[in-house]
Amino acid sequence: MVKTILAVDDSASIRQMVTFTLKGAGYEVIQAVDGQDALDKANYHQVNLVLTDINMPRMDGLKLLELLRKLANYKNIPILILTTESGDEMKAKGRAAGATGWLVKPFDPKRLLEVIGKVIG
Amino acid sequence: MSMIVDEQLATNFYFDKNFNSQAVKLLPGEYYVTDKDIMLVTVLGSCVAACIRDCYSGIGGMNHFMLPDGGGDAGSPLNASARYGTYAMEILINQLLKLGARRSNLEAKVFGGGNVLDGLTVANVGQRNADFVLRFLQTEKIRIVAQDLVDIFPRKVYFFPKNSRVMVKKLRNVRNTTISLRESDYRQRLHRVDSGGDVELFS
């Protein structure tokens, strides 16, 4: 069965590149433009993995992470962070909020697919 | 492999007597954002600089970058060159948003991309940088309110984010090689950027 990934980023360029990468590898992709949009879509669709940016308007990635982990059907779904943030403090916050992994941009399509394969393979 | 060249926050502060203003000078690979009434200055050869500001709050910033060569299929949206350029632009935009700018209020002025470097193996480096920054801003729906791109001369750009003013001086008589040496050095560093950033799995 085809696995679905919710890809969340306020940058249209990043959404395009991530979607191109994931669809090329056979995943279905649902795009969201910020944390609030992602939360709405996560409530409506059940996905196999969430890939989210951190710095976004309306609701950032950490808040999204925190709220998703409170939803029964997202407690155990892998949530990967894809961000320009590389500081240890921010990573620690992500880890504490329940992130599965942290990828620092610029993203490498091959490594992104490897990591996704590992967590939902 | 880790990213070797990160976009760096500019650290070269000075007082500019001509403009009677605090100023920050940006070198290739640097960016700076501010909500203060200061001047951002850079000198561009084939690199490009995006001056982006929130048109209501005056929070603004500038970057100074060029795309690394190819890295796979040049026409693919996933080639290393486009991914690095997108990263360089996103760093600037993220810092503006952190200072309080709103994405929907952003407008841009873009400069540079002159074909001024000698001995380049890739033709039209400046044009490629200029095309990228225009395409990126169009994709992001960030309004371009001024541009001065390509041509054959280096430029000195003075940007005042608070009131949006930009002054561009075309350097028709450059007597030394400082600009091309700085850009060549930056370009060599970018050559080694062939991979993404760090990856860490927590569980």
Side-chain angles (χ1 to χ4, degrees):
Chain A
M1 198 174 131
V2 176
K3 291 181 172 162
T4 303
I5 295 173
L6 177 58
V8 193
D9 205 303
D10 60 328
S11 162
S13 308
I14 300 284
R15 288 199 306 277
Q16 279 179 8
M17 290 195 289
V18 165
T19 301
F20 189 85
T21 302
L22 299 179
K23 285 196 167 175
Y27 294 107
E28 282 290 333
V29 180
I30 297 169
Q31 296 185 25
V33 300
D34 57 36
Q36 185 59 58
D37 187 27
L39 193 62
D40 294 344
K41 285 174 175 161
N43 274 312
Y44 192 73
H45 305 273
Q46 181 61 52
V47 303
N48 301 97
L49 182 140
V50 178
L51 177 68
T52 181
D53 187 18
I54 290 290
N55 299 304
M56 295 180 289
R58 294 211 300 167
M59 183 192 293
D60 68 23
L62 286 178
K63 187 71 186 171
L64 170 67
L65 182 56
E66 186 190 313
L67 294 178
L68 283 177
R69 288 302 187 213
K70 287 182 181 167
L71 301 175
N73 53 340
Y74 279 89
K75 266 198 165 53
N76 299 311
I77 296 292
I79 301 179
L80 294 173
I81 308 296
L82 177 62
T83 176
T84 54
E85 299 286 346
S86 57
D88 289 339
E89 196 181 330
M90 191 65 98
K91 274 189 197 175
K93 279 185 188 171
R95 185 174 192 163
T100 309
W102 196 277
L103 294 87
V104 179
K105 292 173 184 172
F107 82 97
D108 176 342
K110 276 187 194 161
R111 288 166 79 203
L112 175 64
L113 291 174
E114 278 170 18
V115 171
I116 289 175
K118 260 186 200 167
V119 296
I120 59 170
Chain B
M1 190 174 74
S2 293
M3 179 87 184
I4 295 173
V5 178
D6 280 328
E7 290 291 299
Q8 299 289 332
L9 186 66
T11 54
N12 190 348
F13 298 86
Y14 68 101
F15 184 81
D16 192 298
K17 287 180 186 166
N18 290 330
F19 289 95
N20 193 31
S21 173
Q22 290 294 334
V24 182
K25 183 175 185 181
L26 286 83
L27 297 173
E30 293 186 338
Y31 68 90
Y32 196 80
V33 295
T34 184
D35 55 2
K36 308 278 189 314
D37 190 7
I38 63 172
M39 177 174 78
L40 308 181
V41 185
T42 201
V43 178
L44 300 161
S46 59
C47 287
V48 285
C51 304
I52 302 184
R53 70 188 284 274
D54 180 317
C55 60
Y56 292 104
S57 67
I59 294 168
M62 178 196 270
N63 62 12
H64 177 152
F65 71 100
M66 72 161 73
L67 302 181
D69 289 345
D73 178 5
S76 164
L78 293 179
N79 76 71
S81 180
R83 282 187 285 118
Y84 183 78
T86 301
Y87 161 77
M89 291 298 291
E90 193 186 7
I91 289 271
L92 172 64
I93 292 169
N94 277 348
Q95 296 304 321
L96 290 170
L97 300 183
K98 279 186 189 176
L99 264 190
R102 295 186 63 163
R103 187 174 254 279
S104 54
N105 295 343
L106 296 181
E107 61 181 25
K109 298 184 178 185
V110 289
F111 305 97
N115 286 308
V116 297
L117 283 184
D118 294 328
L120 291 181
T121 53
V122 177
N124 297 324
V125 169
Q127 181 77 54
R128 201 164 61 106
N129 293 328
D131 290 346
F132 169 81
V133 77
L134 292 175
R135 195 169 55 246
F136 175 89
L137 291 166
Q138 188 181 23
T139 302
E140 298 295 330
K141 296 188 168 60
I142 294 174
R143 198 168 60 255
I144 299 168
V145 293
Q147 60 178 285
D148 183 27
L149 295 163
V150 296
D151 207 341
I152 58 167
F153 299 110
R155 297 165 169 88
K156 188 162 188 178
V157 178
Y158 308 84
F159 175 42
F160 300 83
K162 209 68 187 170
N163 62 15
S164 177
R165 191 161 62 114
V166 174
M167 295 168 73
V168 180
K169 190 198 300 185
K170 285 202 176 162
L171 307 174
R172 292 168 200 274
N173 295 304
V174 181
R175 292 189 182 82
N176 60 49
T177 56
T178 307
I179 301 168
S180 59
L181 285 176
R182 273 188 193 144
E183 287 201 354
S184 292
D185 174 61
Y186 174 49
R187 195 163 164 273
Q188 288 302 316
R189 283 184 284 140
L190 287 177
H191 260 308
R192 286 171 274 160
V193 180
D194 59 357
S195 189
D198 289 335
V199 174
E200 192 174 338
L201 279 177
F202 297 138
S203 49

